[in-house]
Amino acid sequence: MAAAVVAAGSAQQLQELLQQQDRSLVVVHFWAPWAPQCAQMNEVMAALAKEHAQVTFVKLEAEAVPEVSEKYEISSVPTFLFFKNSQKVDRLDGAHAPELTKKVQRHASSSSISAGSNDIAKEDLAVRLKKLINAAPCMLFMKGSPKEPRCGFSKQMVEILNKHGISFSSFDIFSDEEVRQGLKTYSNWPTYPQLYVAGELIGGLDIVKELEASGELDTVCPKACKLEDKLKALINKAPVMLFMKGNKQMAKCGFSKQIIEIINSTGVDYETFDILEDEEVRQGLKTYSNWPTYPQLYVKGDLVGGLDIVKELKENGELLPILKGEN
């Protein structure tokens, strides 16, 4: 009989499901009822459930279980987590139906795959790793994020790179077990953090410390532009700039969705920047603007504020003049 998509309403229900399905794959969709992209992905999941009767698919409303969302660092919807033996083995952020299908197929068959399909899986991973290490001129694979490193070595690496004003992007290896294990083999480097420049492995913390001591670090790593200059350019990219989760067409959190609806109602033209696409901007802008949350609205390079401020301005009749630059 084809499997159905199970709705979990609490952390306890999720835990029970994970324990009941101890030996098989469990795919959990963190969703929100206000997000149309989640509804689309629920349909994709229902179709996958018919194809993969041995896989348990679970829907979990992210904002209804904040303790679970916080535990697994769910910052946008849709997000999919993959569990085996009650342990998280993979993750997918965003509404990517082909990637979800691929991951379900790979994990569902991983316990009983033939040598031939195993080779294909390895090849797929190699392609993915190559894309990741080339995702930015300077890529750091670390535990945690630059803002919140989750080990001392990663923290030291971030401090050194920041001290030298090096422009880098990062990948949290805790967010993807497949990448975490695969990159060790791919690069023949057994530990983290790992620093790559132009797709080539530089090394770990000790190597970077040596490069710093010899004065070579500044020539090896790109300083495309200082983060502050990058942020200034971004907030001045358009007269009205909104930094949000998602974009005008597809908000990825409830606060971003609300602020877009308010700004759209004014008829004023504006541009958006998706902070989920750039971790460096996401963390850096919080410090630059001294504003800890998103969305953030800027007019002519000046911070207006977040959702609550925009709501107040609209209620007071002040929002339109501010957006038009009259105040």
Side-chain angles (χ1 to χ4, degrees):
M1 191 174 76
V5 177
V6 182
S10 67
Q12 186 181 350
Q13 273 185 313
L14 176 63
Q15 197 56 44
E16 286 170 2
L17 276 166
L18 292 177
Q19 286 166 354
Q20 284 167 13
Q21 306 297 330
D22 202 25
R23 293 183 184 177
S24 60
L25 177 66
V26 179
V27 182
V28 183
H29 177 199
F30 287 81
W31 73 295
W34 49 261
Q37 62 270 34
C38 288
Q40 292 161 11
M41 294 308 287
N42 276 336
E43 289 175 15
V44 173
M45 251 194 1
L48 286 170
K50 289 175 185 173
E51 289 176 34
H52 301 276
Q54 78 281 20
V55 179
T56 303
F57 292 90
V58 181
K59 284 196 312 182
L60 196 61
E61 193 177 330
E63 289 165 359
V65 281
E67 71 280 14
V68 181
S69 296
E70 192 174 331
K71 178 182 176 183
Y72 293 111
E73 298 178 342
I74 307 299
S75 60
S76 65
V77 292
T79 293
F80 296 86
L81 297 185
F82 299 74
F83 292 88
K84 274 188 181 176
N85 301 321
S86 298
Q87 296 296 312
K88 186 182 78 164
V89 294
D90 206 349
R91 175 184 184 121
L92 175 65
D93 292 273
H96 307 294
E99 188 66 20
L100 177 63
T101 304
K102 197 185 294 182
K103 281 180 180 284
V104 169
Q105 287 169 343
R106 186 166 67 235
H107 288 295
S109 61
S110 63
S111 54
S112 57
I113 47 178
S114 67
S117 59
N118 195 20
D119 290 341
I120 292 166
K122 281 181 181 173
E123 189 181 326
D124 285 348
L125 179 59
V127 170
R128 190 166 165 234
L129 293 173
K130 189 174 182 181
K131 279 184 185 173
L132 278 173
I133 64 177
N134 286 283
C138 186
M139 274 296 292
L140 176 64
F141 292 80
M142 63 180 290
K143 294 178 179 179
S145 66
K147 188 74 174 175
E148 293 178 1
R150 289 167 68 182
C151 84
F153 301 124
S154 292
K155 184 172 184 284
Q156 287 181 63
M157 179 76 91
V158 168
E159 286 169 353
I160 291 170
L161 296 178
N162 285 339
K163 185 169 75 176
H164 288 262
I166 289 162
S167 175
F168 69 98
S169 292
S170 68
F171 184 91
D172 179 5
I173 53 142
F174 282 145
S175 71
D176 193 317
E177 189 62 24
E178 189 181 40
V179 170
R180 181 182 182 178
Q181 301 304 335
L183 194 59
K184 293 179 186 177
T185 309
Y186 183 88
S187 62
N188 196 24
W189 195 270
T191 57
Y192 290 100
Q194 294 182 16
L195 184 69
Y196 292 77
V197 172
E200 297 291 329
L201 175 68
I202 301 300
L205 180 62
D206 289 341
I207 301 280
V208 169
K209 280 182 172 177
E210 285 173 21
L211 289 170
E212 183 186 33
S214 67
E216 295 174 72
L217 186 63
D218 290 320
T219 56
V220 170
C221 293
K223 291 191 177 185
C225 65
K226 286 186 179 174
L227 178 57
E228 190 174 333
D229 294 337
K230 183 178 178 181
L231 295 175
K232 271 184 189 172
L234 278 173
I235 63 176
N236 287 284
K237 188 180 171 189
V240 180
M241 274 297 293
L242 178 65
F243 292 81
M244 61 177 286
K245 292 179 180 178
N247 55 42
K248 282 185 193 180
Q249 289 74 34
M250 195 180 285
K252 290 185 178 178
C253 84
F255 301 125
S256 293
K257 184 173 185 285
Q258 287 181 62
I259 204 166
I260 275 181
E261 287 169 353
I262 293 170
I263 299 171
N264 285 345
S265 72
T266 67
V268 172
D269 194 33
Y270 66 101
E271 286 198 29
T272 62
F273 183 90
D274 183 359
I275 50 128
L276 297 174
E277 295 292 325
D278 193 321
E279 187 65 20
E280 184 185 41
V281 170
R282 180 181 183 176
Q283 301 303 338
L285 195 60
K286 292 179 187 177
T287 308
Y288 181 86
S289 62
N290 196 24
W291 195 270
T293 57
Y294 289 100
Q296 293 183 17
L297 180 66
Y298 291 77
V299 174
K300 293 184 176 176
D302 290 325
L303 176 69
V304 175
L307 177 61
D308 290 340
I309 301 273
V310 169
K311 278 181 173 176
E312 283 176 28
L313 291 170
K314 191 188 178 194
E315 284 166 15
N316 298 339
E318 298 172 55
L319 182 60
L320 187 57
I322 285 174
L323 292 178
K324 287 182 172 179
E326 293 169 6
N327 279 25

